[in-house]
């Protein structure tokens, strides 16, 4: 099968670190937002530790559909594990034959008369026949509570073949549902009796709305927003819809404060909330005569579907472009990254690793090395991790051994000498980004603390920051291929296998902090841990890496917030704290307010706030949260407690 299924035990817990997310991160909110932003009625990511799905969200009056669900520890649908699936694959434990219509039905919610409501889900499908045309369909539907069989299809797709990649399906509820006091939505699966094996993976179900007049865009660069004087700027402008669906829009911008310019964008299909569109080959007016250095491009959505936005509804975003001056722009020594996919049950992995070991020993920490142990062939390697599975899917790997050098598949040709030459080629080459460890410590309870800085000379969007805790040598995962020791084995990726979405501004330093209980990994010895961190661009290129030894020993946890923040850290006064209904923030100026839960998921975001602000926490579950307030270059944080 294309996708390998792993059935989870009845109780599954995710060890998550609190990590602030960038503006471009598409992680949805799961709480009630402010009046000008999204209102979320339901968000399901199947991370409930007892039942996978949150029973508070769903109508379980008829639970046949829920009992038919399986769960996987992989990220096939594009979310974070665990994910849900319907399917039939007896060899993987999915032996239930399904026929008919299956629905996950929400509890009723009131939809305001002035709101446009949406349903969304991430999904992927695998079938082991070329076409299942007419056999299966998947979609989103709604009904008014009490109309037992009156389901209205909002969007349905016919599943005819395996998908090339995960897909996000979004649908808008019909206008007739506005103002209804009790609306239910459902994820729907229709199938005939199974003819062959198949798996339908899905995750991140959302039911949300925006006020009818709310339109918004988030802006990001695709490509490299910097160039030398003699180079052509090869850049795309990516817009993400952060408001109601639209078919066309106008985007206005200024370059270094000059005269406003307008871009007219028409979308082939309606751009739904959360979807993105990239305008390739973007070059702002004024770039051709720009001086060396950094330049500000200020964007805003000025018109949606032919209607101009009012001044009060416009939110402006400043993005940076850089024309590089080699004499003034600082560069840093590049450290190559080698990622190897291996397994103790793979016969060809043993000679490969025997060839690589002396190369890695000779090069030492002049390169960063990470090995992901895989769950195949056969029974696979017992030190397989979910994060390694995410990286496997990221690189589309279905055989071991495989080696990736700086994000590109390495041919592994030329024996030890050939691989050493390729691994060494870019050591200390000039790079625009730098990574340096501040703290690598382990306490008496084997909790690891990782603090490091990322420096940038140029702007860059679409990055992922990956942090890997690995063990220099393991022996407990010996399998059937004759290997008795393994090196650079990945134990845990922080915060997870997908990494931290990141946008960098030039001449900036960003500090990242993680903590994790290493008892939850396959760690054998606490005295031979290392940490690798690396920056990977959206074209898979690794922009920089770093590797360090965990040599510091501390008695108790350091006074480090388990969070990610920029160095523009200042305290944020909020009151009351703890709170049960409202929290008050004073004296904000053009601020963006965000709230994150202790797993790092963004629960809330509102922009353009001036003056005193009231944050409604009545719908938040009791527990701890992090508030982040951004006012230009100033970033402030507060840890809050919601109590009942």
């Amino acid at each position: 099968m294309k996708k390998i299924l792993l059935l989870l035990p009845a109780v599954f817990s995710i060890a998550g670190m609190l990590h602030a997310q960038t503006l471009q991160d598409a992680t949805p909110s799961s709480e009630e937002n402010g009046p000008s932003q999204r209102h979320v009625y339901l968000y399901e990511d199947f991370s409930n530790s007892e039942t996978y799905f949150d029973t508070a969200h769903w109508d379980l009056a008829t639970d046949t559909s829920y009992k038919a669900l399986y769960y996987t520890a992989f990220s096939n649908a594009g979310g974070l594990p665990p994910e849900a699936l319907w399917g039939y694959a007896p060899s993987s434990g999915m032996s239930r034959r399904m026929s008919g219509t299956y629905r996950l039905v929400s509890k009723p919610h009131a939809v305001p008369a002035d709101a446009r409501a949406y349903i969304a889900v991430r999904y992927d499908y695998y079938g082991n026949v070329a076409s299942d045309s007419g056999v299966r369909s998947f979609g989103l539907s709604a009904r008014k509570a009490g109309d037992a069989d009156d389901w209205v299809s909002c969007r349905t797709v016919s599943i005819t073949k395996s998908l090339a990649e995960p897909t996000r399906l979004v649908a808008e509820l019909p206008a007739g549902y506005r103002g209804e006091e009790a609306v239910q939505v459902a994820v729907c699966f229709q199938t005939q009796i199974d003819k062959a094996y198949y798996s339908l993976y899905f995750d991140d179900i959302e039911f949300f709305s925006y006020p009818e007049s709310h339109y918004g865009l988030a802006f990001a660069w695709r490509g490299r927003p910097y160039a030398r004087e003699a180079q052509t700027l090869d850049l795309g402008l990516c817009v993400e819809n952060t408001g109601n669906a639209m078919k066309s829009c106008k985007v206005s911008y200024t370059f270094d404060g000059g005269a406003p310019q307008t871009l007219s964008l028409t979308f082939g299909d309606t751009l739904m909330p959360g979807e993105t569109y990239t305008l390739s080959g973007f070059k702002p007016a004024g770039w051709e005569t720009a001086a060396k250095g950094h330049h500000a491009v200020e964007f805003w959505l000025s018109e949606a579907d032919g209607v101009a936005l009012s001044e009060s509804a416009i939110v402006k975003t400043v993005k940076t472009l850089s024309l590089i001056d080699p004499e003034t722009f600082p560069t840093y020594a590049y450290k190559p990254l080698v990622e190897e996919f291996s397994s103790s049950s793979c016969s060809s992995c043993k000679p490969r690793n025997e060839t690589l070991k002396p190369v890695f020993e000779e090069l030492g920490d002049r390169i960063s090395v990470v090995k992901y142990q895989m769950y195949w062939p056969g029974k696979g390697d017992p030190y397989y991790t979910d994060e390694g599975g995410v990286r496997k899917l990221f690189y589309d790997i279905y055989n071991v051994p495989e080696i990736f050098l700086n994000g590109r598949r390495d041919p592994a040709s030329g024996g030890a000498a050939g691989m050493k030459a390729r691994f060494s080629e870019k050591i200390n080459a000039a790079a625009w980004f730098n990574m340096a460890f501040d703290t690598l410590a382990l306490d008496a309870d084997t909790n690891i603390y990782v603090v490091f800085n990322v420096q940038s000379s140029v702007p860059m969007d679409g990055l992922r920051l990956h942090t890997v805790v690995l063990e220099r040598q393991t022996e407990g995962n010996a399998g059937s291929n004759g290997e008795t020791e393994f090196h650079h084995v990945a134990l845990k990726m922080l915060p997870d296998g997908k990494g931290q979405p990141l946008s960098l501004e030039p001449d900036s330093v960003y500090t990242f902090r993680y903590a994790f209980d290493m008892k939850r990994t396959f760690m054998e010895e606490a005295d031979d841990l290392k940490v690798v961190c690396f920056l990977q661009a959206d074209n898979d290129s690794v922009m920089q890496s770093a590797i360090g030894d965990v040599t510091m020993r501390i008695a108790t946890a350091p006074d480090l917030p388990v969070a990610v923040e920029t160095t523009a850290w200042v305290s944020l006064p909020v009151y009351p704290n703890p709170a049960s209904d409202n929290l008050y923030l004073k004296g904000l100026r053009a601020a963006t307010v965000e709230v994150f839960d202790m797993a790092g998921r963004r629960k809330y975001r509102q922009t353009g706030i001036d003056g005193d602000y009231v944050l409604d926490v009545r719908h938040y579950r009791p527990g701890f949260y992090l508030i982040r307030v951004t006012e230009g270059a100033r970033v402030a944080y507060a840890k809050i407690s919601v109590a009942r």
Side-chain angles (χ1 to χ4, degrees):
M1 295 178 68
K2 182 184 88 169
K3 305 250 173 42
I4 304 297
L5 174 71
L6 176 64
L7 298 181
L8 299 177
V11 178
F12 179 86
S13 61
I14 298 177
M17 298 301 101
L18 181 62
H19 58 288
Q21 297 174 340
T22 63
L23 205 61
Q24 287 72 38
D25 189 3
T27 301
S29 160
S30 61
E31 304 287 356
E32 182 177 357
N33 280 10
S36 65
Q37 295 291 312
R38 136 186 332 215
H39 181 113
V40 178
Y41 309 98
L42 176 154
Y43 173 63
E44 178 63 80
D45 62 0
F46 301 104
S47 62
N48 187 286
S49 61
E50 298 297 330
T51 57
Y52 295 105
F53 57 86
D54 190 338
T55 55
H57 288 328
W58 304 101
D59 183 354
L60 300 179
T62 57
D63 62 356
T64 304
S65 300
Y66 301 88
K67 289 182 178 179
L69 285 173
Y70 297 93
Y71 301 91
T72 171
F74 305 137
S75 56
N76 296 323
L80 291 174
E83 295 179 336
L85 71 157
W86 282 306
Y88 176 67
S91 62
S92 297
M94 298 193 304
S95 57
R96 184 184 295 108
R97 287 188 175 273
M98 301 175 67
S99 180
T101 300
Y102 295 80
R103 292 189 180 94
L104 301 187
V105 181
S106 77
K107 290 187 176 180
H109 294 274
V111 176
D114 64 344
R116 293 173 63 178
Y118 303 87
I119 325 169
V121 64
R122 298 181 189 274
Y123 78 101
D124 197 5
Y125 176 78
Y126 168 75
N128 68 343
V129 293
S131 174
D132 284 339
S133 179
V135 175
R136 300 185 183 93
S137 64
F138 182 63
L140 302 164
S141 58
R143 72 177 179 186
K144 299 171 185 178
D147 296 341
D149 298 317
D150 192 19
W151 285 102
V152 174
S153 175
C154 300
R155 190 172 180 184
T156 299
V157 291
S158 177
I159 300 177
T160 59
K161 60 182 179 180
S162 299
L163 297 179
E165 59 184 4
T167 301
R168 186 172 184 264
L169 189 67
V170 189
E172 183 173 1
L173 271 63
Y177 284 81
R178 300 178 191 177
E180 289 294 325
E181 291 297 319
V183 175
Q184 292 177 285
V185 297
V187 175
C188 311
F189 178 49
Q190 292 181 308
T191 181
Q192 298 177 18
I193 196 68
D194 309 296
K195 297 180 180 180
Y197 290 6
Y198 71 92
S199 298
L200 173 66
Y201 306 87
F202 58 99
D203 201 3
D204 296 344
I205 304 170
E206 304 173 72
F207 176 26
F208 60 96
S209 68
Y210 287 107
E212 188 169 11
S213 60
H214 177 70
Y215 293 90
L217 290 178
F219 300 90
W221 300 126
R222 286 294 175 262
R224 299 188 177 183
Y226 53 89
R228 293 180 183 270
E229 192 172 25
Q231 294 175 332
T232 300
L233 187 67
D234 183 14
L235 190 65
L237 174 63
C238 179
V239 296
E240 178 190 347
N241 190 354
T242 59
N244 283 306
M246 64 179 84
K247 294 182 178 180
S248 64
C249 71
K250 288 185 177 179
V251 171
S252 298
Y253 74 89
T254 60
F255 183 78
D256 284 343
Q261 307 291 324
T262 300
L263 303 169
S264 295
L265 305 180
T266 300
F267 312 113
D269 296 315
T270 300
L271 192 69
M272 301 297 288
E275 293 182 340
T276 61
Y277 172 87
T278 299
L279 177 65
S280 300
F282 174 74
K283 187 182 298 183
W287 173 258
E288 296 292 354
T289 57
K292 295 177 182 178
H294 306 305
H295 301 274
V297 187
E298 186 172 50
F299 291 101
W300 65 94
L301 176 66
S302 53
E303 182 181 296
D305 286 337
V307 178
L309 270 66
S310 65
E311 284 295 324
S312 61
I314 289 176
V315 177
K316 296 185 177 181
T317 300
V318 177
K319 304 297 296 180
T320 304
L321 291 178
S322 297
L323 190 59
I324 293 172
D325 184 347
E327 296 181 359
T328 60
F329 277 52
T331 59
Y332 307 96
Y334 184 73
K335 182 167 291 189
L337 172 73
V338 177
E339 296 174 276
E340 183 188 1
F341 295 81
S342 185
S343 173
S344 61
S345 64
C346 160
S347 59
S348 57
C349 291
K350 182 173 185 271
R352 171 70 56 78
N353 287 329
E354 289 173 345
T355 299
L356 286 171
K357 182 181 176 182
V359 174
F360 292 150
E361 287 178 346
E362 181 177 350
L363 294 178
D365 286 353
R366 288 184 289 163
I367 64 172
S368 301
V369 179
V370 179
K371 289 186 182 179
Y372 310 103
Q373 304 299 107
M374 292 290 100
Y375 49 76
W376 32 247
K379 293 184 178 180
D381 194 298
Y383 283 11
Y384 166 79
T385 68
D386 295 342
E387 291 91 355
V390 172
R391 294 300 288 173
K392 173 194 78 73
L393 290 173
F394 177 81
Y395 284 128
D396 198 27
I397 292 173
Y398 298 102
N399 295 287
V400 286
E402 284 277 18
I403 296 176
F404 280 73
L405 173 61
N406 303 327
R408 299 287 185 265
R409 182 176 269 106
D410 185 81
S413 59
M419 286 187 282
K420 177 186 172 184
R422 289 190 296 276
F423 297 168
S424 304
E425 184 178 3
K426 290 191 176 182
I427 291 177
N428 293 330
W432 300 116
F433 308 95
N434 189 45
M435 312 181 82
F437 290 108
D438 178 272
T439 301
L440 293 175
L442 204 69
D443 68 16
D445 292 324
T446 65
N447 296 303
I448 193 171
Y449 302 92
V450 180
V451 182
F452 60 93
N453 297 324
V454 175
Q455 296 172 272
S456 175
S457 296
V458 294
M460 191 73 175
D461 289 341
L463 291 167
R464 289 271 170 175
L465 172 65
H466 296 278
T467 306
V468 192
V469 183
L470 55 91
E471 192 162 357
R472 279 177 285 186
Q473 180 173 318
T474 64
E475 299 174 356
N477 55 321
S480 59
N481 71 348
E483 288 186 270
T484 58
E485 60 181 47
F486 308 83
H487 303 89
H488 302 91
V489 175
L491 302 178
K492 175 62 183 175
M493 297 187 74
L494 301 172
D496 52 57
K498 291 198 168 190
Q500 169 70 39
L502 189 60
S503 293
L504 300 177
E505 285 296 309
D507 303 329
S508 301
V509 179
Y510 300 80
T511 300
F512 296 86
R513 309 169 187 241
Y514 295 106
F516 192 79
D517 181 1
M518 293 304 295
K519 291 191 293 294
R520 307 183 68 161
T521 71
F522 298 117
M523 181 184 69
E524 294 179 7
E525 300 291 339
D527 61 356
D528 69 342
L529 299 181
K530 298 177 79 75
V531 174
V532 167
C533 56
F534 58 95
L535 281 173
Q536 192 160 32
D538 53 13
N539 67 353
D540 298 354
S541 297
V542 173
M543 313 303 290
Q544 183 61 283
S545 78
I547 186 169
D549 294 299
V550 184
T551 56
M552 183 185 298
R553 295 295 181 267
I554 54 179
T556 58
D559 185 20
L560 297 174
V562 181
V564 175
E565 69 277 353
T566 69
T567 51
W569 170 282
V570 295
S571 62
L572 174 68
V574 297
Y575 67 94
N577 192 8
S580 59
D581 49 12
N582 291 324
L583 270 171
Y584 299 90
L585 294 82
K586 306 286 286 185
L588 303 183
R589 297 181 59 186
T592 296
V593 175
E594 297 168 285
V595 180
F596 301 88
D597 68 11
M598 297 308 288
R601 294 180 290 253
R602 188 170 64 197
K603 299 296 184 181
Y604 173 90
R605 178 176 178 270
Q606 186 168 345
T607 61
I609 302 171
D610 286 297
D612 298 342
Y613 185 68
V614 179
L615 178 66
D616 184 353
V617 297
R618 288 175 295 176
H619 300 285
Y620 287 37
R621 294 176 182 174
F624 291 101
Y625 298 84
L626 184 78
I627 297 179
R628 178 172 69 181
V629 173
T630 305
E631 298 171 301
R634 177 183 182 272
V635 182
Y637 294 83
K639 187 176 181 181
I640 65 169
S641 172
V642 174
R644 296 286 183 263

